[in-house]
Amino acid sequence: MSKAKTDGAITTTQPVKFYQVGSFAVGNRLVDPSLRTVQADAARTNAITSGHRACQGCGEALGARYVLDAAMRATGGKLVAVNATGCLEVFTTPYPETSWQLPWLHSLFGNAASVATGVAAALEVQGRNDVRVIAQAGDGGTVDIGFGCLSGMFERNDDVLFVCYDNEAYMNTGVQRSGATPPAARTATTEAVGREPGNPFDQGKNLPRLAMAHGIRYVATATVADLHDLEAKVERAMDFRGARYLHLLVPCPLGWSSAPADTIRIARLAKESGLFPVFEAVDGEVTAASGIRRLVPVEEYLRLQGRFRHLFDSSGAVAKTDIVARLQKLADANIERFGLLQPEVT
Amino acid sequence: MEKPFAITLDVGSSLANKTGSWRVERPVYIDRLPPCNDACPAGENVQGWLYYAEAGEYEQAWRQLVQDNPFPAVMGRVCYRPCETVCNRAQLDEAVGINAVERFLGDQAIEHGWSFEAAPPSSGGRVLVVGAGPAGLSTAYHLRRLGHAVVIYETGATPGGMMRFGIPKYRLPRDVLDAEVERICALGVELHLNRKVTDLPATMRDDGFDAVFLAVGAQLAKRAYLPAGDSAHILDAVSLLHSMEGASPPRLGRRVVVYGGGDTAMDAARTARRLGATDAVVVYRRTRERMPAHDVEVEEATDEGVLMKWLSTITEVDEGQILLEQMVLDDKGFPQPTGRFEKLDADCVVLALGEESDLSLLTGMDDVEIADGVVQVGPDLMTGHPGLFAGGDVVPAERTATNAIGNGKRAARTIDGWLRGETPREPARHELAGFEHLNTWYYADAPKTERPRLELVRRTSTFDEVVGGLDETNALFEARRCLSCGNCFECDNCFGVCPDNAVVKLGPGKRYEFDYDYCKGCGICMVECPCGAIVMEPERA
Ligand SMILES: Cc1cc2nc3c(=O)[nH]c(=O)nc-3n(C[C@H](O)[C@H](O)[C@H](O)COP(=O)(O)OP(=O)(O)OC[C@H]3O[C@@H](n4cnc5c(N)ncnc54)[C@H](O)[C@@H]3O)c2cc1C
Ligand SMILES: Cc1ncc(C[n+]2csc(CCOP(=O)(O)OP(=O)(O)O)c2C)c(N)n1
Ligand code: SF4
Ligand SMILES: [Mg+2]
C-alpha cells in the first residue's frame, strides 16, 4: 500500500487488481477463465473418472488427475500415458473396469520409462510427432526398481515426460520403505524401534537432483497443494522436446497414517516447512523456487502423520527432540540451498 | 465377440463402482452467519452486499443493502461500525473497510439516482409514526414495503431527527441526508412536519390509526446544578448543535469549555473550534478509558486541537473563569473528590451531560411502563399498550442511529404481524462463521485502504466534510478484501480438490452439488474450503 502524505491530508492509491483469493484457489469468479486452473473448468478431461478404488483422500489419485488433465489441455488431447505397477495402476484398473479417459498402457513395476521410450519411438516412426507421451510411476517404480530404465531414458533424451508420484513408500504392497522414504518415518520395514526409530538418516536418493545431473532439458518438483504451480509446470514441460522429469509429492493417508481430509494440508506444510523444496530446473540449473509464504517448524508437518508419531509424546509435544532437530536441519538446508525465504524467488 | 486369451469380461467403466457406499461421513454445503452480519444493529447482510460489490455490481450491491437499511450514504459516514470490530479479516491483517464501501454504494446511488423498487399499494393497516428520526423513517420505509399506509407526525420543520439536529455537517453533509430521506418519502410516506403530538391517546383515537410507532428520541438536554455568577455564559450541547441548522450561529467566545465525555461533547467541542474558539477544552470527571465517546470521535477531535481535561468536575462558573475540582477513581471506578481545585479561563460552558426523552405525550396511558426515563418494550418492541410500539433513543438501548434504524426494521416486522394477527417468526440464525472455520491460506495478503481526510486547516475553519470517500478503484479493492465468511463465493476449491470427481459445478451463481454416488467422504473439500461453507455430517445408517 502506498501512502502519499501532504499537510495532513492522506491520499492513497491502491492497484485494483486484487482478486480476493489471489492466485491460490482453484478458480475465481472474478478473473478471466483463462487465468483459472484447468481443474476449475467443468469441461476438464477428468483423466481418472469416478468409481476408482483409491483410498479416501488419496493424494496420488488427485495428483495424477491434476497432471494428466493439464497435459491433456496442453496437448489438445493428443496424449498417451504409460503406467508402472503401483497404487495408481491398481486402483484405476481392477479387471474389467477402467477409470482412464485417455489412451493408457500398463507395463511392469520397473520398466515404464522403457515402454514409454518405445511408444515415443513408434510414434516418431509413424510421423505422429503431435502425439505426446507421459510415463508415470510411484516412488518405488521411479527411484528403486525403475531407476535403470529411467536413467537410460534420460541419457538417450527420449521424448517423454516422466512423472513420479511420490508418496514416500511402496504403498500398494503394504507400506514398505523406498529410496524416497524420509528419515525417521515408520514403514512396515523400518519400524519405530531402537535408538534411531524408523527409516535411518543419510540414506535414500534425491531423484530430482539425479535427473538434473543427467543434464535433461527440464526438471521440476511440485505438490498437490499448489495447483497453479503444478499446472504451469506440466504445461511448461510440454513445451520442451526430449526427456523431462516431474516429481510430485502426493500424501498417502494410509501409508502416512494421516486423516484423509488433511491430504492437501500436509502437502502444503511439507513445502512451507522447507522439507520438500518446490523448484524448477532447466538444462541442469535451478531457475526458480517457490518461496515459503508462512514458515512453519517441521514438527507442524510431522505431527499430523502417524508415521512420525514416535517423535511425540501422548500430549503431542516433541519427545525425540534430537531427531526432530535433525529433520529441522534438513529443512533449513533446503531453505538455504534454494533461497526459499527470499521474497524475490517465485 | 471372440475375446483374447484369458479375457472373459467386456471392458467396463469404473463408473459402475459406486464408491459412495464407503462413506461414513458426508460433506454438506451450509451457510454460516458472518460476524459482520451478526454484529450489525441494523441487521444488514454485509457479506451479501459485499459479494456483489466485489464483482463491480454496485447497483445490485446497493439493492441488497437497502433490503435492510435505507440509509447507506448516512450510515457509511456516521455508523460506529460494530461490523468492523468483529470482522474476521482483522485477525489476518486489518478489518475490511465495510463502512467505506457502504458509503461508496450510498453515494453511487445518489449520483446515479437509483430509486427503491415501488412499494405495493397501501392495502393493509394505517400506521402512525411519531417522529421522523432514523427510527421513525426506517419503520416507515419497511412498513410501506410491506404494503401498509404510513403517516409521520414530526415536530420539526425538517425530517431527520438527531441526524440533522445533532450530528454536525462536517460529518454528515445535509444534501446526503436529504437525498436519502426524500427517497423514503417517495415510497408514498405521508410526512406531516411542524406537527407535534402532545396527546397520543387523543391522536390515535381521532385520526384513526391501527397501530403507532413511537420514535420521539431523546431531545431534552440533561442539566446539572452548577453554582454560577449572573453573567456566566452556560448553554447545552443539544441546543448549540440544533442552532447550527439555523441562520445565525451562536457566539461562544474564544475559550470554550465543554462538560461531558460522550460523542455529543466531542461534536460540541469540534463545532466550537469551527466557530472560532481558539481553546476548546473538554472537561470530564473520569479517565479516557472510561469515556463513553467512541475512539474515532476522540481522535478526530484531538487532531483538530480539542484539549481534554480528565478527572475533573466543574464546581463553579463565573464570567471568564471556571473552578475545577480534581477527582480520583475509587476501587469501583467511580470518581471521588480530592479537595484540590484549579481555575480555568472560559468564556462559556457547554453542557453535554446526555439527553432525555420528553414523554409528556403519553400522559394518561397507564399501561405504558416508563422506567429510567425511557419507555419499556418487549422483544417485539411493543409497549404495554396494545398496538403501541416504540424504538430508537426512546427505549432502553444503545443510542446510535444504526440501532434506531435496526429498531425501525424490527418494529415494522412486528407491527405487520400484529396487524395481521400473526406472530412473525424470527428468521433462523445460522451458526456463527468464526475465524476457526476459515482456511485463510487461500486469501491473498491485502492491507486496508485508508479514507482520505481533509487538511487540518480546513477542519478548524469550515464545516466541510472531514472524511472523504473511496473512488471506484479502491472501493472495489476494499470490497474484495472480504473473506466471505461462511458463505460460498464459488472459488472452485471443492470442485478441484475432490480426488473422486464427486463435486458437480452448477454454473455461475448456482454454486455446487455433491455427487453422493461417488463421494467417499474424505473431507478434503471441507478442510480446503476457504470460507467454511462445508461441514461433515455422520452418514445415516
Ligand atoms: C450530537 C450527536 C451526535 C451523534 N452522532 C452519532 C453518530 O455519529 N453515529 C450514530 O450512530 N449515532 C449518533 N448519535 C445518536 C443518534 O443520532 C441517535 O441515536 C438517533 O438519531 C436516534 O434516533 P431516533 O429516531 O430514536 O430519535 P431522533 O433522531 O432523536 O428523532 C426523533 C424525532 O422525533 C421528533 N419528535 C420528538 N417528539 C415529538 C413529538 N411529540 N411529536 C412529533 N415529533 C416528535 C423529533 O423532532 C425528532 O425529529 C448522535 C447523537 C447526537 C446528539
Ligand atoms: C518386479 C516386481 N516386484 C514387485 C512387485 C509388487 N509391487 C507392486 S506395486 C509395488 C510397490 C509400488 O510402490 P510405488 O512404486 O511407490 O507405488 P505406490 O503404490 O506407492 O503408489 C510392488 C512392490 C511387482 N509388481 N513387480
Ligand atoms: S494406499 Fe495411499 S496411494 Fe494407495 S490408494 Fe490408498 S491413499 Fe492412495
Ligand atoms: Mg509409493
Side-chain angles (χ1 to χ4, degrees):
Chain A
M1 186 175 63
S2 64
K3 260 190 202 172
K5 283 199 176 171
T6 45
D7 298 338
I10 304 166
T11 51
T12 52
T13 46
Q14 290 272 16
V16 72
K17 191 179 155 292
F18 170 67
Y19 295 122
Q20 180 183 47
V21 284
S23 56
F24 304 108
V26 170
N28 188 331
R29 70 186 177 100
L30 302 175
V31 301
D32 189 84
S34 67
L35 297 173
R36 307 178 196 171
T37 65
V38 175
Q39 291 302 313
D41 184 357
R44 70 190 185 205
T45 306
N46 267 342
I48 307 173
T49 197
S50 308
H52 62 74
R53 287 154 158 87
C55 304
Q56 285 181 325
C58 173
E60 191 167 82
L62 194 56
R65 191 186 78 219
Y66 285 175
V67 168
L68 293 172
D69 284 3
M72 285 292 274
R73 183 188 274 185
T75 59
K78 294 183 178 174
L79 189 67
V80 178
V82 176
N83 214 121
T85 313
C87 274
L88 183 59
E89 173 259 331
V90 171
F91 69 63
T92 53
T93 52
Y95 176 71
E97 290 167 11
T98 178
S99 304
W100 296 103
Q101 306 297 304
L102 78 169
W104 179 89
L105 282 81
H106 172 234
S107 52
L108 296 174
F109 185 23
N111 68 350
S114 300
V115 173
T117 295
V119 173
L123 289 166
E124 167 93 52
V125 167
Q126 293 169 28
R128 296 298 309 270
N129 283 338
D130 52 330
V131 182
R132 311 297 303 273
V133 183
I134 281 187
Q136 44 186 8
D139 50 296
T142 304
V143 318
D144 294 343
I145 191 172
F147 187 61
C149 294
L150 180 59
S151 180
M153 186 200 107
F154 286 163
E155 187 196 7
R156 294 184 303 270
N157 200 26
D158 297 322
D159 189 16
V160 175
L161 169 63
F162 192 99
V163 184
C164 170
Y165 299 105
D166 182 7
N167 52 22
E168 302 189 328
Y170 292 40
M171 298 313 180
N172 187 54
T173 42
V175 198
Q176 293 84 14
R177 175 204 179 274
S178 80
T181 300
R186 182 201 66 206
T187 67
T189 47
T190 56
E191 291 192 37
V193 292
R195 243 178 1 100
E196 280 199 1
N199 193 39
F201 278 79
D202 305 321
Q203 292 189 2
K205 311 174 193 172
N206 186 326
L207 228 282
R209 292 177 70 209
L210 286 168
M212 285 164 63
H214 284 78
I216 59 173
R217 293 300 326 268
Y218 186 71
V219 174
T221 66
T223 78
V224 284
D226 190 345
L227 188 54
H228 287 268
D229 173 74
L230 170 58
E231 290 187 352
K233 285 169 176 168
V234 172
E235 199 180 319
R236 181 125 196 250
M238 285 312 187
D239 284 344
F240 293 99
R241 290 280 173 173
R244 289 143 287 144
Y245 180 72
L246 175 63
H247 191 102
L248 182 64
L249 185 71
V250 291
C252 164
L254 181 100
W256 297 13
S257 307
S258 55
D262 281 341
T263 294
I264 291 181
R265 188 202 309 230
I266 289 172
R268 185 156 53 233
L269 291 170
K271 183 210 153 215
E272 293 298 292
S273 64
L275 273 177
F276 187 87
V278 174
F279 65 92
E280 240 181 346
V282 175
D283 296 331
E285 297 297 331
V286 174
T287 51
S290 301
I292 289 172
R293 192 167 154 238
R294 295 182 182 175
L295 181 68
V296 290
V298 291
E299 63 225 54
E300 282 198 29
Y301 166 71
L302 305 171
R303 190 176 276 115
L304 294 174
Q305 306 172 48
R307 62 176 174 157
F308 295 112
R309 186 152 304 135
H310 52 280
L311 304 178
F312 298 89
D313 66 18
S314 55
S315 73
V318 176
K320 296 278 190 307
T321 44
D322 52 332
I323 298 179
V324 172
R326 285 178 81 182
L327 289 165
Q328 183 66 53
K329 254 197 168 138
L330 295 177
D332 293 346
N334 285 333
I335 291 171
E336 177 72 29
R337 169 181 285 147
F338 294 99
L340 299 180
L341 284 178
Q342 291 159 16
E344 303 89 287
V345 289
T346 46
Chain B
M1 193 187 110
E2 186 84 0
K3 295 198 167 64
F5 173 71
I7 300 294
T8 53
L9 299 171
D10 288 327
V11 175
S13 164
S14 63
L15 290 172
N17 185 28
K18 301 282 171 71
T19 50
S21 63
W22 302 12
R23 210 168 46 235
V24 290
E25 279 182 88
R26 63 166 54 197
V28 176
Y29 290 108
I30 53 157
D31 286 312
R32 288 185 215 263
L33 180 64
C36 49
N37 295 18
D38 184 47
C40 179
E44 285 182 23
N45 181 353
V46 176
Q47 176 275 328
W49 56 256
L50 282 171
Y51 179 84
Y52 293 113
E54 270 151 41
E57 295 165 13
Y58 303 125
E59 182 167 350
Q60 192 69 15
W62 180 80
R63 296 206 173 276
Q64 170 72 52
L65 201 170
V66 299
Q67 294 296 313
D68 299 298
N69 187 338
F71 286 108
V74 171
M75 280 295 104
R77 290 175 165 81
V78 306
C79 183
Y80 293 116
R81 322 171 199 177
C83 52
E84 295 185 21
T85 310
V86 297
C87 173
N88 275 334
R89 179 132 207 158
Q91 295 181 53
L92 207 57
D93 40 36
E94 294 165 276
V96 174
I98 298 168
N99 189 251
V101 181
E102 182 170 30
R103 165 170 169 175
F104 172 78
L105 295 175
D107 288 355
Q108 288 277 302
I110 295 171
E111 194 184 318
H112 298 294
W114 298 335
S115 53
F116 297 133
E117 269 166 50
S122 310
S123 56
R126 186 158 177 271
V127 183
L128 171 67
V129 173
V130 188
L137 289 166
S138 163
T139 314
Y141 166 76
H142 288 287
L143 282 171
R144 274 303 295 120
R145 298 199 325 151
L146 290 165
H148 301 287
V150 184
V151 179
I152 306 183
Y153 289 166
E154 161 61 47
T155 309
T158 35
M162 281 300 182
M163 296 190 293
R164 184 182 305 275
F165 295 106
I167 303 174
K169 288 186 184 119
Y170 56 81
R171 293 204 290 124
L172 176 57
R174 298 308 185 238
D175 53 343
V176 171
L177 176 62
D178 291 342
E180 294 204 322
V181 173
E182 273 160 28
R183 201 192 282 128
I184 294 173
C185 293
L187 281 178
V189 174
E190 219 181 284
L191 174 62
H192 298 263
L193 297 169
N194 303 308
R195 175 91 175 243
K196 180 169 184 168
V197 176
T198 48
D199 181 347
L200 189 58
T203 309
M204 283 171 79
R205 193 176 52 239
D206 300 346
D207 297 359
F209 292 105
D210 301 313
V212 177
F213 182 60
L214 186 69
V216 295
Q219 314 298 323
L220 307 175
K222 282 189 189 155
R223 308 289 300 195
Y225 173 71
L226 290 180
D230 292 342
S231 46
H233 185 17
I234 303 180
L235 71 167
D236 68 73
V238 177
S239 331
L240 165 65
L241 294 170
H242 196 288
S243 66
M244 294 306 300
E245 286 300 300
S248 52
R251 296 166 61 101
L252 301 176
R254 279 179 42 243
R255 297 160 306 178
V256 178
V257 165
V258 177
Y259 196 23
D263 295 323
T264 308
M266 297 304 136
D267 277 333
R270 295 174 71 185
T271 297
R273 285 283 284 148
R274 284 166 172 79
L275 289 175
T278 48
D279 298 354
V281 184
V282 172
V283 173
Y284 179 57
R285 57 202 177 102
R286 297 197 272 191
T287 55
R288 169 77 181 83
E289 296 72 49
R290 294 177 179 271
M291 201 173 199
H294 288 86
D295 286 344
V296 279
E297 299 261 22
V298 181
E299 274 158 32
E300 289 186 355
T302 314
D303 286 349
E304 290 167 14
V306 171
L307 301 174
M308 310 282 166
K309 214 148 184 48
W310 316 114
L311 289 170
S312 307
T313 51
I314 300 180
T315 50
E316 226 178 284
V317 183
D318 269 315
E319 186 175 3
Q321 202 169 59
I322 63 171
L323 193 63
L324 299 179
E325 179 171 9
Q326 290 173 17
M327 311 299 277
V328 284
L329 292 188
D330 63 18
D331 307 343
K332 296 197 180 95
F334 288 110
Q336 301 297 345
T338 59
R340 291 194 300 275
F341 292 86
E342 68 179 300
K343 287 188 173 145
L344 188 67
D345 290 338
D347 298 322
C348 101
V349 173
V350 180
L351 302 180
L353 303 170
E355 298 86 35
E356 294 173 321
S357 298
D358 177 358
L359 299 177
S360 56
L361 77 169
L362 299 177
T363 310
M365 298 185 89
D366 296 338
D367 45 6
V368 178
E369 190 194 338
I370 295 169
D372 301 324
V374 281
V375 174
Q376 304 299 303
V377 286
D380 58 356
L381 296 178
M382 189 151 84
T383 65
H385 184 91
L388 176 60
F389 297 76
D393 280 1
V394 77
V395 303
E398 194 181 333
R399 287 188 167 175
T400 62
T402 323
N403 181 62
I405 290 167
N407 275 189
K409 178 176 121 183
R410 166 172 290 254
R413 254 212 331 262
T414 54
I415 291 171
D416 177 62
W418 190 79
L419 289 172
R420 293 170 196 277
E422 300 162 3
T423 345
R425 203 164 309 133
E426 280 282 310
R429 269 177 113 69
H430 293 131
E431 190 201 330
L432 200 66
F435 190 74
E436 69 281 6
H437 293 297
L438 308 179
N439 186 338
T440 60
W441 171 262
Y442 290 101
Y443 300 103
D445 311 310
K448 179 174 171 165
T449 317
E450 295 296 338
R451 280 188 266 197
R453 271 157 219 275
L454 198 66
E455 293 98 303
L456 270 178
V457 254
R458 283 170 64 204
R459 284 170 63 176
T460 45
S461 56
T462 71
F463 282 82
D464 292 351
E465 187 167 22
V466 170
V467 180
L470 302 180
D471 60 25
E472 226 257 62
T473 314
N474 45 27
L476 186 63
F477 179 92
E478 200 51 36
R480 286 178 174 178
R481 295 184 63 246
C482 170
L483 308 177
S484 192
C485 306
N487 290 264
C488 172
F489 58 105
E490 298 187 10
C491 71
D492 292 333
N493 261 17
C494 52
F495 179 64
V497 301
C498 176
D500 296 289
N501 311 320
V503 176
V504 184
K505 185 168 166 174
L506 300 176
K510 301 194 192 123
R511 300 183 171 184
Y512 312 85
E513 203 170 75
F514 290 110
D515 181 350
Y516 294 114
D517 277 353
Y518 297 105
C519 164
K520 294 170 185 162
C522 68
I524 296 182
C525 54
M526 181 262 295
V527 171
E528 301 306 321
C529 175
C531 66
I534 300 175
V535 280
M536 300 301 290
E537 289 179 356
E539 193 60 42
R540 295 176 288 270

